[in-house]
Amino acid sequence: MDAFSDPEAVKRYAEGPPRQVPGFAGLQRMARLLLAERAPGDARVLVLGAGGGLEIKAFAEAQPGWRFDGIDPSAEMLDLARSTLGPLIAHTELHHGVIDSAPEGPFDGAACILTLHFVEREERLRTLREVNRRLKPGAAFVVAHFSFPQGAGDRELWLSRYAAFAASSGIDPAQARKAASTIGQRLPILAPEEDEQLLRDAGFSNLSLFYAGFTFRGWVTYA
C-alpha cells in the first residue's frame, strides 16, 4: 500500500488499471449495470476503495441521480479522486479510512473494485460483514479483485500471465515481471472458492461470478 502514499505513483495511478486489468472499462460498466438492477434512480451507493475516483466517475456519469460515499485509507488517493471527479464531486462524500469510517447507511448498493486483495483474510471478512450491515435488504454488492488458483505452481503461472498481459498493453516487460513478483510476495491473494466462501460467511447470498479476466475475478451478491 506504500505506493498509494507516493505522490508520483498516485499521479500515475489512472494509467495502470486499463493496462493491467483485462476489460477494465467493461468491468466498470458491468458493475454499474448490476447495481442498477436493484438501485433506484436516486440511489445512495457505497464505494469501498474509492481513491482515484475511477469507479465513482464511471457510475456518476451514467447515473446522474445517484449519490456516493467513497472510502479509502490513502489521503493522497482521495485527493486524486477529487481531481478525477471534478464537478461530479457534488454528488460524492469522500471519507478517509477503512470501512469503519463509512456512514451507517443504509445504502442501495455497494462496490469494491480492485481493493480487497490488499486486505488480510480476517480483516477482509470483517470488512465484508460491515459492508453487508450497511446495505438495505436485497441490495447488490459488486466486488472484483485479484483471485486465482493457489495450488502448487498455479500462483507463479497466473502471475506470469498477469505480467504478459501488462507487457502486451505497453508496460515495459521487465517492469511488468517485477510488478508481478511484488504482487505475489506482498498481497494476500485468495483462490476464487475462498473469496466466495468469505462472501457467504459475511452474510451475502445469491452469489454469481460475472467477470473473469486472467488473474482477476468479479462477483455480484446481495445483502
Side-chain angles (χ1 to χ4, degrees):
M1 295 290 284
D2 291 345
F4 297 131
S5 298
D6 177 349
E8 291 304 314
V10 168
K11 285 180 185 178
R12 297 191 301 271
Y13 172 77
E15 303 171 5
R19 297 200 291 174
Q20 297 162 348
V21 182
F24 178 65
L27 169 60
Q28 290 182 315
R29 186 163 65 251
M30 287 186 288
R32 186 255 302 169
L33 291 170
L34 290 166
L35 290 172
E37 286 180 344
R38 299 196 179 191
D42 60 350
R44 188 181 182 194
V45 177
L46 176 64
V47 179
L48 190 62
L54 298 179
E55 283 74 46
I56 293 179
K57 185 174 188 290
F59 296 165
E61 287 177 339
Q63 292 284 352
W66 287 5
R67 295 169 296 128
F68 303 92
D69 282 272
I71 318 299
D72 202 279
S74 167
E76 292 82 1
M77 289 294 287
L78 288 175
D79 287 340
L80 178 60
R82 293 183 184 94
S83 176
T84 299
L85 290 170
L88 296 171
I89 195 67
H91 300 264
T92 306
E93 293 289 336
L94 296 175
H95 310 271
H96 183 214
V98 295
I99 186 60
D100 306 294
S101 300
E104 288 295 302
F107 291 93
D108 297 291
C112 185
I113 309 295
L114 305 182
T115 296
L116 283 181
H117 49 230
F118 294 109
V119 183
E120 295 290 346
R121 186 189 186 104
E122 288 305 311
E123 179 62 13
R124 196 180 302 194
L125 177 58
R126 189 187 77 83
T127 298
L128 291 171
R129 284 174 172 159
E130 288 298 313
V131 171
N132 193 353
R133 188 175 66 79
R134 287 167 167 80
L135 289 174
K136 293 179 180 178
F141 177 45
V142 179
V143 58
H145 48 262
F146 277 116
S147 183
F148 53 84
Q150 299 294 304
D154 287 334
R155 192 176 180 89
E156 293 75 16
L157 175 61
W158 282 102
L159 286 170
S160 73
R161 290 168 173 168
Y162 167 83
F165 182 84
S168 75
S169 300
I171 294 175
D172 177 77
Q175 291 182 353
R177 290 191 296 271
K178 181 178 179 182
S181 177
T182 300
I183 287 165
Q185 293 170 13
R186 296 186 181 179
L187 298 191
I189 298 168
L190 302 179
E193 58 270 22
E194 294 177 286
D195 272 312
E196 291 178 0
Q197 189 59 53
L198 283 182
L199 286 163
R200 294 188 183 99
D201 290 345
F204 289 100
S205 61
N206 297 325
L207 176 68
S208 297
L209 179 74
F210 76 91
Y211 166 81
F214 268 14
T215 50
F216 300 92
R217 299 288 186 279
W219 295 269
V220 60
T221 189
Y222 303 92

